[in-house]
Amino acid sequence: MRCALNLFYTRIGSKDLQLIPDKGPVILIANHPSSLMDAALLGVQLKRPLHFFARGDLFRNAFAAWILRRLHMHPIHHHQNGRSTLNDNDDSFEVAMQLLEAGEIVLFFPEGISQTAYRLLPFKKGAFRLAVQMAMKNSAQPCPVVPVGINYSHPKLPFSQVWIHAGTPFLPAHVPSEATDTQAFNQVVRLLTLKGAHAISQLVIADDHHPVELAEAMFVYRNNATDPDPSLMISNEIQFARKISSQHNRYLAEINLYREARLRCGVTPTAPRFLKDRSLSSWPLWLGFPAAAIGWLLNALPLQVGKWIADKKVTREDFYSWVLVVVSLFLYLFWWLAITLLTGIIAGKAMALTTAIALPLSGYAAWKYYQYFVAWKDCRAVRQLNTVQKAVLEDLAAGILTAAPV
């Protein structure tokens, strides 16, 4: 998964992950923009084993349930699925309590469901109720709640970017002295939920009223960003997004005009990064084509099948990237093993070893070639714009970029 994610995304940036304690019980709370991809990214970024809860219907198939549990996934149910799931959720929270008492780290998505738009949904109280219960049960070993913001540059396209930003851990401000004091308990849980929602809002790019316009503005900012420091980029992007959101009356019209102009020009949201006299030569495409073609012929089948499955079966945008990456990964591993074994049977162990090494290397070369080709297409599209079109895009972008941090 680490290799697959680093191929799918051009950059996986992180900031302040050292704030997550390296031992003892921890409750992680995070926003939820991309289904199981969110948990996968955190799982490969953290050194500690990560337990998390996923939709209960994913566990209906016995074989799928066995795999998911091996990956430290546990079922949790939404109440809209019927009263029959209420007892199941009691069991899920008991599992979470046992994990925390054993000193594990457990991830929750308080929004409950994933959605790709740059907005935050209202937080559910389950994770925070668990934090208060832990504090009441064992005051000598506090269980901190650590907020984590996850920000994607695009919800489903390969060669996009993702940033993971941890915030300062916090504890319940007050713990009821008696377990029977239901009113005090509920009040503490409510306040802790509000605190968690505020903490996450400081770590993510979000605008509940204008998420589409904010997404367009973020592309403008990223197209013009030059600082290579990932941690600084996260902070600057959040600061930029916050100014756009707080002054949306000032920027909304300009963002919409920019988007309309870009669509009339027929360029992708990432293409305008080549407006500032940045160009890509076609020579690497010609020189690299033979190696890329070989790599494509040897490796494309499992990846194309994975894409076909994702295109045909996935109806929700927030599930697309996870299904594409995981299905392609497993199909490719099966393909690699089958080709290696077949080569060994036909040509011997030495050739099998050569194949085992050459196959993924040729695939990597073809994938990097494709990445360059996508960028070259963007560059070419911009170069084909006339002077007026370029000037309009640059002027409108400059107006949006007045919100950029200095």
Side-chain angles (χ1 to χ4, degrees):
M1 279 303 297
R2 186 181 299 276
C3 292
L5 291 174
N6 279 287
L7 285 172
F8 187 78
Y9 297 106
T10 58
R11 169 178 286 167
I12 301 176
S14 62
K15 182 180 180 183
D16 293 338
L17 295 187
Q18 74 279 1
L19 293 174
I20 300 173
D22 56 8
K23 61 181 180 180
V26 178
I27 293 177
L28 285 188
I29 57 169
N31 61 314
H32 204 14
S34 190
S35 182
L36 295 175
M37 186 64 83
D38 302 332
L41 282 162
L42 284 170
V44 300
Q45 288 290 308
L46 301 182
K47 296 179 180 179
R48 298 179 60 183
L50 178 68
H51 295 263
F52 65 100
F53 288 81
R55 288 170 30 195
D57 56 342
L58 296 175
F59 293 78
R60 288 175 182 170
N61 179 278
F63 180 68
W66 181 84
I67 293 176
L68 296 176
R69 292 184 189 281
R70 301 285 81 70
L71 297 174
H72 293 173
M73 294 170 62
H74 310 276
I76 196 166
H77 303 271
H78 298 301
H79 292 332
Q80 58 263 34
N81 293 337
R83 294 190 61 83
S84 61
T85 62
L86 294 178
N87 290 335
D88 293 334
N89 270 358
D90 288 340
D91 294 339
S92 298
F93 280 104
E94 183 60 32
V95 169
M97 182 70 76
Q98 292 172 1
L99 289 169
L100 292 170
E101 289 176 342
E104 300 288 350
I105 181 168
V106 181
L107 168 65
F108 286 94
F109 299 109
E111 292 174 283
I113 59 173
S114 61
Q115 48 87 36
T116 58
Y118 279 144
R119 62 157 63 98
L120 284 174
L121 300 177
F123 276 23
K124 301 182 184 301
K125 299 176 182 175
F128 306 99
R129 176 161 62 89
L130 191 64
V132 177
Q133 288 174 338
M134 280 291 294
M136 294 173 64
K137 198 167 185 178
N138 188 358
S139 58
Q141 186 183 31
C143 178
V145 179
V146 184
V148 178
I150 306 171
N151 301 285
Y152 296 87
S153 65
H154 195 281
K156 59 185 287 187
L157 290 182
F159 312 129
S160 54
Q161 302 178 62
V162 58
W163 295 262
I164 300 170
H165 188 186
T168 304
F170 57 89
L171 296 166
H174 171 70
V175 179
S177 56
E178 296 291 338
T180 55
D181 193 346
T182 304
Q183 184 176 359
F185 177 84
N186 290 336
Q187 176 70 0
V188 173
V189 171
R190 188 182 70 84
L191 292 175
L192 197 64
T193 304
L194 293 173
K195 187 171 184 177
H198 176 73
I200 292 290
S201 71
Q202 304 303 302
L203 303 172
V204 299
I205 297 164
D207 185 334
D208 293 342
H209 302 292
H210 305 287
V212 175
E213 289 79 6
L214 179 58
E216 191 74 37
M218 294 311 303
F219 275 115
V220 173
Y221 179 79
R222 290 166 184 150
N223 287 337
N224 291 271
T226 56
D227 196 304
D229 183 352
S231 62
L232 187 60
M233 284 182 64
I234 296 172
S235 301
N236 286 344
E237 286 196 8
I238 292 173
Q239 188 177 340
F240 174 79
R242 195 166 296 151
K243 187 171 181 181
I244 289 287
S245 299
S246 64
Q247 302 182 29
H248 58 82
N249 290 333
R250 172 183 173 185
Y251 292 103
L252 203 58
E254 202 146 30
I255 293 170
N256 285 325
L257 286 172
Y258 173 87
R259 182 173 56 188
E260 291 169 6
R262 180 182 62 76
L263 291 173
R264 283 197 304 270
C265 292
V267 297
T268 67
T270 56
R273 70 187 188 274
F274 294 106
L275 281 170
K276 292 186 175 181
D277 297 324
R278 288 183 283 180
S279 61
L280 294 179
S281 172
S282 62
W283 280 110
L285 295 178
W286 292 105
L287 294 174
F289 180 77
I294 294 172
W296 178 259
L297 290 172
L298 292 175
N299 296 274
L301 181 61
L303 303 182
Q304 287 297 105
V305 172
K307 186 177 186 304
W308 180 83
I309 291 173
D311 290 341
K312 291 291 184 182
K313 300 297 182 180
V314 180
T315 57
R316 286 178 48 174
E317 190 176 50
D318 52 330
F319 278 72
Y320 184 87
S321 59
W322 164 258
V323 174
L324 175 63
V325 169
V326 172
V327 171
S328 299
L329 172 62
F330 278 99
L331 288 174
Y332 185 78
L333 290 174
F334 176 80
W335 173 262
W336 172 79
L337 183 61
I339 295 296
T340 300
L341 290 175
L342 184 61
T343 303
I345 293 171
I346 296 173
K349 293 181 180 179
M351 187 57 68
L353 179 60
T354 301
T355 301
I357 298 172
L359 197 65
L361 287 178
S362 64
Y364 178 76
W367 185 248
K368 298 301 287 185
Y369 180 92
Y370 176 62
Q371 181 181 353
Y372 188 89
F373 175 72
V374 170
W376 177 82
K377 280 180 62 180
D378 275 352
C379 180
R380 185 185 180 195
V382 169
R383 292 289 165 259
Q384 290 176 341
L385 300 179
N386 60 45
T387 304
V388 174
Q389 290 172 319
K390 291 180 181 179
V392 168
L393 287 174
E394 287 180 330
D395 288 346
L396 291 172
I400 297 169
L401 289 171
T402 57
V406 179

